[in-house]
Amino acid sequence: MRVLYIEDNRQDAELARMEIARTGSDLRMTVAGTLAAAWRELAEPERFDVVVVDLNLPDGSGLDLVLGVRDKQLPLAVIMLTGSGDERSAVAALKAGVDDYLIKQGDYLRQLPQVIESAVGAFRLGQERKSRPLRVLYAEHHALDQDLTRMHQARHAAHILVEVAASANEVLAKLEKSPDAHDVLLLDYRLAGTNALELLRLISKDGTPRLPVVLVTGQGDEIVAVEALQLGASDYIVKRPGYLHELASTLENARNRALLVREQAALRASESSRRLREEALDALPQGVLLSDADRRIIYANPAFTRLTGYAAAEVLGRNCALLQGPETDPATVARMRAALQAGAAFDGELVNYRKDGTRFRNHLSLTPVRTSTGALVNYIGLSQDVSERWRIEDELRASEERFRQIAENIHEVFWMTDPANHQMLYISPAYEQIWGRRCADIMRNPSDWLKAIHPDDRGRVSAAAKRQIAGDYHEVYRVVRPDESIRWVRERAFPIRDADGHAYRIVGTAEDITEHRKLESRFIQAQKMEAIGTLAGGIAHDFNNILAAIMGYTELMRMQIKGQPQVEDYLQALLKASGRAAALVRQILAFSRQGEHERKPMSLARVVAEPLAMLRATLPTTIEFDVKLDEDLPFVMVDVTQIHQVLMNLCTNAAHAMKDRQGRLGIRLEACEVTRGQAASSVRLREGPHVRLTVSDNGQGMTREVVERIFEPFFTTKAPGEGTGLGLAVVHGIMQTHDGEVMVQSTPGKGTTFELYFPVHTQSDGEAAVCEAEDEVPRGAGERVLFIDDEPALAQLGQSILEALGYRVLAVSDAPQALECVRAGPQDFDLVVTDLSMPEIMGTDLAALILEINPDMPVILTTGYTSNLTSDSVRALGIRELLLKP
C-alpha cells in the first residue's frame, strides 16, 4: 500500500516510517514536508492509495489539501493528524471529507498502520458502493404497489434494482435458490397466507436474518414495526403519502448498516489477531528482531532485551550487526552477508556480545519478508542463546579428547564392538604396536583379530569370546605378528548394558605381557636354581665329610709310611683323586652360593686382566682375542678367585663353541648405567651405576630352548666326557653372591654374548691387596684343643692330625657332652674347634654357650657349606674363624 505522509517534523515522519515497517505491513511511505511538496507528489495521484496529512503545515492547513482532494475527486483515502484533544479540528476534518483522523498523543504511531488500513478499506468500500447496484427483493401481493415501487425507483434511483415476489413461499424459494443474489429484503407486512413477521422468523438464523430487512407497514402500525425490529429487521417505512421518496435512502442505509456490522466484526477479528500476534511475539522465549530491507531494526521483543541487555528503544534504527564482536566467526558472518545480499534465508551460530560486553553463543535464523509482487520489505531475525549447549558440547569434546589421548597413549589396546553385527567400532593405536597390523584393516575386517592368534590358542580363544556378552572373558594367548615374532597378550572384555539390561556394546583391553612372561620365566628359573642349589649344598655337606675323612686318613698314612715308594704312589694317587672330588664339590658350592668366599672393593680391570695371560696360552691359536678394558672404573665388591673362575668358564665355553671355525673372542669391561626399563626385565638387576663385563664369541650360537636351560646344573650340549655341565651354573651362582646379574643373547650360527653386571660399591676403601701366600703349616706346643664333630670318624681324624702336629686333643662327637666338659673345666682348654651342623645343638649356638662360660675362649667353626654365613658374620658372634671342609 502506497502512503503519502505530509509532515513537516522529519523526526516524527521517520518514527512513523519505522513503526509502519515494524508491523510488517505492506506499506511504502513517501514523505512531503509542505503542502506545495504534497501537491507536486499528487500530480500523479495514481501513485498513492492514501494521504496522511498533518493539520498544521508551514505553508497552510491540512484541511485545504483535503478539500482540494475531494473537489478534484481524486481516488484517495485521506487521514488527518490533529493536535492532542482538538475535537473541533477533528469535526472540521470529517466535514471536509476525511476518511479518518488520528490525535497526535501517546503511542499514536502504534495505531497509525491500523488506521491507515481501516481508512483505505472504508474508502474503497464507499467507492465500490457507488459503482455497484443495490439489489432488492420486494415481497408485495398487490400488483399496483409492485408497479408503483418499481417505476419510482427506476425514475429516481436507477441503481436500485427491484425484483418482486408475490408471496412468502416465493420469497423463500428465491432466497434458497440464490442466497447471494440480493442485498436487501423489502417486506410488506401483509402477505398472502401469512405476514412479514412470520416470514422474518423463517428467514432468520440464530435470531438474525440472513440479509438486511426493511418492513413496509400501514399508517398506525408502529407496534408491528417495533416487533419487526426486535426480530432483526434493519429498518421500517410507513405507507404514507410520499413514502416512496424515502424508500431509496432507507434501503441504502439498511445495506450500509449491514456492511458496517460485517466490517466492524472483521475489524474486531483483525485487531484481535494483531494483538494475538504481538502478544505471541512478546511471549516468545527467543529474541525477535524485525528490520527493514536495509537491515535497520524496527522492532525488538522483550526476550531480545533479556538476551542482550539492550532495551528496544536502544536498538531501533540501528543495524542488525550491533551484536557482533572480535570473536565472531568471520566465515559465518561472510555466509550470513552473502545470504542477505541475495535476499535469502540464513541459519547459523555466531559468537555475539551483550550490552555489558559478555559473549554468548547465538543461534540466529533470518527470514526475508516479501510482498505479493516479490519486493523485499523486511527481515525477521530469531535469536536463541545456545551457550549452555556449546558448553556441554565443549565439555563433551574435551572429554572425548581426553579419552582419545588416554586410549592412544596407554600401552594396552582398548577396543569397542557392536555385538549385534560383530562390527568393530573403535580400536586404539596400541594395536598396531602389539599386533604389528594396521587399525584400519581390523576396522574393515574384524575377523583379522582371530586370524592373528597362534593356531594352538585360536580354538580356545574363539570359544571363550562367546562369553564376552556375559562378562566372563579373561584370556591369555599368543599373537603371531607379520614378521613371525610371537607376543603374549592378556585380554579382558565386558558388556555395556542399557536401562533394560540389553548389552549393546562390548568393550575390552588387551595387554602385551610378553616381557612379564619372560620375567616370570626367569623368576621360576631362579627359584628352580635356588632349590637345586639348596639340594646341592646339602649333598656337598655330607660329601665333604666323607672327603675330609678320606683325605685326612690318607695324609696320616703318608706321614707314617716311609721307605715304601709304591705305597706312597698309591696314597698320592688317592689324594689327587680326592682333590679332584673336592674341586667338584667347590664348583657345586659355588653354584649354590654356599662356598667360602671373601669379597673386597677393588677395580675389575686388574682382576679381569690377570687370567687373560693364562687363557691366551691355553686356548687354541685360531682364536683371536679382542680385549678392551676401561682402566678408570668405579670399585665393585668382588671375590678375586671367583671372578677368575667366571672368566675361565665363559672363555672356555666360548672356545668350545668356536672350535670348528676361525674364532674371535671379545672381552669388554666398562661402566654403565642400568635404566629402569632394563632393571624391570630382570629379577635381580637394580637401577643405577654398574660395571659391565661382556664376553662374546662368533661361535655356533644357541637356540632359544638351549638359552633357557644353560644355567641349570649338569645341563650341557657337549658330548660325554667333555664336561660336567657345571660351568655356567657356577657362573650364575657366583653372580648371585655378588648381587649381580648375568644376561645372555645368542643366535644360532652367529655367536653368543654374555653380559655380567656388577653393582658399583659406593664406599670404596681402596683397592684390596692380593691374597697373601699361605705360610707353612705351624706346629703346636702342647696346647689343649677340644675337637667337636658329630661324625665320629671326623672327630677321631681331627684328633689324630692335631696330635701329630703337637697338640693335646679331646675329641667329642656329642655337643651336650662337649658343653659339659667346658663347664667342668673352663680353663682346661686353649681352643675349641666345632662343626656347624650337629643334631642337638648347632655349632653357632654351642659356641655362644661356651663363650658365656669362658668369654676369652677362642672358637673355630667348621662346615661343609656356609649357607648364609660369612667370616664377618661369625666373627660378629665372637667366633674367631670360619673354615670350610675338607
Side-chain angles (χ1 to χ4, degrees):
M1 191 179 299
R2 300 160 299 178
V3 181
L4 177 60
Y5 195 89
I6 307 168
E7 169 65 73
D8 62 327
N9 188 320
R10 290 189 175 276
Q11 183 176 2
D12 286 353
E14 185 61 26
L15 289 174
R17 184 197 300 274
M18 292 168 56
E19 183 62 27
I20 289 173
R22 181 192 72 80
T23 61
S25 301
D26 186 13
L27 300 178
R28 287 176 292 171
M29 193 171 79
T30 301
V31 178
T34 63
L35 285 177
W39 282 116
R40 285 194 297 271
E41 297 290 345
L42 290 174
E44 300 178 78
E46 65 276 4
R47 294 172 49 211
F48 303 100
D49 300 297
V50 61
V51 174
V52 180
V53 58
D54 192 14
L55 179 60
N56 298 310
L57 293 167
D59 54 349
S61 170
L63 290 175
D64 296 335
L65 185 132
V66 176
L67 293 171
V69 168
R70 291 298 175 240
D71 288 343
K72 295 180 180 181
Q73 296 184 352
L74 299 181
L76 297 171
V78 181
I79 299 170
M80 176 67 74
L81 298 176
T82 71
S84 59
D86 189 352
E87 294 183 1
R88 287 179 299 175
S89 298
V91 171
L94 291 172
K95 289 181 178 180
V98 298
D99 295 281
D100 207 342
Y101 68 93
L102 188 62
I103 300 175
K104 296 173 68 175
Q105 70 180 113
D107 59 348
Y108 76 97
L109 288 178
R110 290 180 65 89
Q111 304 173 40
L112 180 60
Q114 183 63 40
V115 171
I116 291 174
E117 290 182 2
S118 177
V120 171
F123 176 78
R124 289 175 177 174
L125 182 60
Q127 294 293 98
E128 181 184 356
R129 288 171 184 166
K130 291 178 181 178
S131 61
R132 190 180 71 181
L134 176 60
R135 300 165 300 171
V136 179
L137 178 60
Y138 182 29
E140 172 63 63
H141 65 288
H142 291 292
L144 181 59
D145 285 347
Q146 294 175 359
D147 293 340
L148 288 174
T149 301
R150 281 189 299 196
M151 287 188 295
H152 183 84
Q153 299 307 319
R155 180 180 299 177
H156 298 286
H159 69 287
I160 298 178
L161 305 178
V162 178
E163 183 180 354
V164 177
S167 65
N169 289 336
E170 190 177 353
V171 170
L172 293 174
K174 290 180 178 293
L175 293 178
E176 183 69 25
K177 182 179 180 180
S178 302
D180 299 323
H182 307 91
D183 299 309
V184 179
L185 180 58
L186 180 63
L187 296 179
D188 188 65
Y189 175 70
R190 300 184 185 279
L191 297 172
T194 183
N195 60 45
L197 296 181
E198 292 299 325
L199 180 58
L200 189 57
R201 290 188 180 96
L202 291 174
I203 65 175
S204 296
K205 183 180 180 181
D206 300 328
T208 303
R210 286 180 287 178
L211 72 168
V213 175
V214 175
L215 180 67
V216 180
T217 70
Q219 294 185 15
D221 288 340
E222 283 85 355
I223 295 175
V224 174
V226 171
E227 188 176 354
L229 293 176
Q230 291 174 347
L231 289 174
S234 299
D235 208 344
Y236 70 94
I237 189 168
V238 180
K239 283 186 176 182
R240 57 176 175 257
Y243 81 94
L244 289 177
H245 294 284
E246 301 175 12
L247 184 58
S249 61
T250 301
L251 292 173
E252 287 280 1
N253 290 336
R255 183 181 70 170
N256 291 342
R257 279 197 296 272
L259 291 175
L260 181 60
V261 168
R262 287 198 294 268
E263 290 170 1
Q264 288 176 340
L267 181 61
R268 285 193 297 270
S270 176
E271 179 64 20
S272 175
S273 176
R274 184 185 65 81
R275 286 198 302 270
L276 182 62
R277 289 196 300 270
E278 290 188 353
E279 290 171 359
L281 287 175
D282 290 348
L284 278 177
Q286 295 89 2
V288 178
L289 281 182
L290 185 66
S291 76
D292 59 19
D294 296 325
R295 300 193 288 279
R296 290 191 298 267
I297 299 172
I298 58 177
Y299 170 76
N301 74 337
F304 179 84
T305 296
R306 293 192 298 269
L307 174 63
T308 67
Y310 288 101
E314 294 179 283
V315 299
L316 293 180
R318 297 181 65 178
N319 190 281
C320 295
L322 82 161
L323 299 180
Q324 294 181 18
E327 294 185 35
T328 302
D329 181 19
T332 307
V333 172
R335 185 165 61 87
M336 178 179 65
R337 288 176 177 168
L340 293 174
Q341 289 173 1
F346 167 80
D347 187 90
E349 293 186 355
L350 301 145
V351 177
N352 282 168
Y353 291 81
R354 298 183 177 89
K355 182 179 178 180
D356 61 6
T358 59
R359 67 177 187 174
F360 67 99
R361 293 281 183 178
N362 182 16
H363 185 108
L364 178 63
S365 297
L366 292 176
T367 304
V369 179
R370 298 182 182 275
T371 65
S372 58
T373 60
L376 179 65
V377 291
N378 296 105
Y379 281 102
I380 298 174
L382 192 65
S383 295
Q384 183 174 4
D385 187 355
V386 293
S387 301
E388 180 64 15
R389 192 197 75 202
W390 273 71
R391 183 189 66 79
I392 294 173
E393 290 177 353
D394 285 344
E395 290 181 356
L396 179 60
R397 282 190 290 270
S399 176
E400 290 175 344
E401 177 63 18
R402 288 193 297 271
F403 167 78
R404 185 191 64 78
Q405 291 183 3
I406 292 173
E408 293 183 1
N409 288 284
I410 60 175
H411 298 298
E412 293 81 8
V413 177
F414 177 81
W415 54 264
M416 180 184 298
T417 62
D418 182 352
N421 54 21
H422 304 288
Q423 180 184 0
M424 180 69 71
L425 302 177
Y426 175 79
I427 190 163
S428 64
Y431 169 80
E432 297 186 351
Q433 300 172 4
I434 299 175
W435 263 255
R437 293 168 170 82
R438 298 193 313 161
C439 292
D441 294 339
I442 195 173
M443 291 294 290
R444 286 194 302 267
N445 190 5
S447 62
D448 286 353
W449 165 77
L450 193 61
K451 293 178 182 177
I453 296 177
H454 193 284
D456 294 345
D457 300 338
R458 191 176 300 155
R460 169 177 56 83
V461 176
S462 178
K466 299 175 182 178
R467 304 194 303 269
Q468 290 179 353
I469 202 166
D472 182 22
Y473 180 81
H474 181 184
E475 292 296 319
V476 175
Y477 55 85
R478 288 164 291 178
V479 170
V480 182
R481 291 164 56 93
D483 61 1
E484 301 299 325
S485 62
I486 303 294
R487 306 300 293 180
W488 281 90
V489 172
R490 178 188 291 118
E491 188 173 43
R492 299 178 178 87
F494 58 90
I496 298 178
R497 304 184 186 276
D498 57 21
D500 298 327
H502 174 68
Y504 66 97
R505 293 288 185 271
I506 301 292
V507 297
T509 59
E511 177 188 5
D512 185 353
I513 59 169
T514 305
E515 295 303 321
H516 292 282
R517 295 279 296 196
K518 290 180 180 178
L519 189 59
E520 183 181 68
S521 177
R522 289 175 182 169
F523 181 71
I524 293 173
Q525 178 74 4
Q527 287 184 317
K528 180 169 67 175
M529 300 291 284
E530 189 74 25
I532 295 174
T534 302
L535 175 63
I539 294 173
H541 170 260
D542 292 337
F543 194 37
N544 264 331
N545 286 338
I546 296 171
L547 285 176
I550 293 172
M551 297 176 71
Y553 282 112
T554 302
E555 288 288 353
L556 285 175
M557 291 174 65
R558 288 184 61 198
M559 293 170 61
Q560 297 177 5
I561 296 176
K562 300 294 184 183
Q564 300 184 41
Q566 187 175 5
V567 175
E568 289 182 1
D569 290 343
Y570 292 157
L571 295 176
Q572 182 62 35
L574 181 60
L575 285 173
K576 184 176 180 181
S578 299
R580 289 177 61 190
L584 182 60
V585 170
R586 281 195 297 273
Q587 290 191 61
I588 295 174
L589 291 174
F591 154 73
S592 64
R593 294 177 294 154
Q594 295 171 347
E596 183 181 21
H597 59 275
E598 184 175 5
R599 292 191 294 156
K600 297 179 181 178
M602 59 180 56
S603 172
L604 266 183
R606 177 178 173 184
V607 177
V608 171
E610 289 177 354
L612 288 182
M614 184 179 66
L615 284 170
R616 290 181 186 272
T618 57
L619 295 184
T621 57
T622 57
I623 296 177
E624 175 189 354
F625 278 71
D626 181 11
V627 180
K628 291 184 180 179
L629 306 180
D630 190 346
E631 297 292 338
D632 187 16
L633 292 173
F635 281 16
V636 294
M637 293 291 290
V638 295
D639 181 288
V640 175
T641 302
Q642 288 186 331
I643 299 305
H644 287 177
Q645 185 175 3
V646 165
L647 196 58
M648 294 290 288
N649 287 355
L650 291 177
C651 292
T652 301
N653 276 2
H656 284 137
M658 299 183 293
K659 64 181 180 180
D660 296 329
R661 63 184 69 190
Q662 183 69 34
R664 183 178 57 80
L665 179 63
I667 301 174
R668 300 283 187 277
L669 188 63
E670 58 194 341
C672 70
E673 188 77 18
V674 173
T675 65
R676 181 176 299 179
Q678 291 174 310
S681 65
S682 168
V683 176
R684 286 173 299 277
L685 200 57
R686 297 292 178 264
E687 184 180 359
H690 283 68
V691 173
R692 179 170 58 210
L693 172 62
T694 303
V695 178
S696 61
D697 65 70
N698 61 345
Q700 60 190 9
M702 296 176 286
T703 64
R704 185 174 60 186
E705 291 76 11
V706 171
V707 170
E708 291 176 352
R709 298 190 60 191
I710 57 174
F711 295 122
E712 294 181 8
F714 309 113
F715 173 78
T716 180
T717 58
K718 299 174 184 177
E722 292 184 0
T724 62
L726 281 171
L728 292 178
V730 169
V731 171
H732 185 272
I734 289 174
M735 290 307 299
Q736 287 184 307
T737 63
H738 284 72
D739 300 320
E741 179 66 294
V742 55
M743 305 181 77
V744 58
Q745 295 179 353
S746 185
T747 303
K750 295 185 179 180
T752 302
T753 299
F754 286 88
E755 291 182 337
L756 286 73
Y757 290 85
F758 297 87
V760 169
H761 182 60
T762 56
Q763 297 179 348
S764 299
D765 311 293
E767 187 175 350
V770 180
C771 296
E772 298 178 359
E774 292 186 358
D775 296 330
E776 293 294 329
V777 178
R779 300 185 65 84
E783 292 89 344
R784 296 164 298 174
V785 177
L786 176 60
F787 194 93
I788 310 161
D789 197 300
D790 61 327
E791 290 283 345
L794 290 182
Q796 183 60 44
L797 175 63
Q799 180 178 2
S800 300
I801 293 176
L802 292 176
E803 286 180 346
L805 293 174
Y807 299 97
R808 290 182 293 164
V809 181
L810 174 61
V812 180
S813 299
D814 181 66
Q817 179 186 356
L819 184 61
E820 289 300 322
C821 292
V822 175
R823 285 176 177 164
Q827 305 300 325
D828 292 346
F829 302 100
D830 300 303
L831 175 67
V832 174
V833 179
T834 179
D835 189 25
L836 172 65
S837 298
M838 292 185 292
E840 297 183 11
I841 304 176
M842 288 292 291
T844 51
D845 297 333
L846 178 61
L849 293 173
I850 291 173
L851 291 173
E852 286 182 1
I853 299 170
N854 185 357
D856 297 327
M857 176 70 71
V859 179
I860 294 176
L861 185 67
T862 66
T863 182
Y865 69 104
T866 61
S867 182
N868 294 323
L869 293 177
T870 63
S871 298
D872 292 337
S873 65
V874 297
R875 289 190 184 110
L877 298 175
I879 300 171
R880 299 291 179 90
E881 293 291 344
L882 173 66
L883 296 180
L884 185 67
K885 296 177 183 179

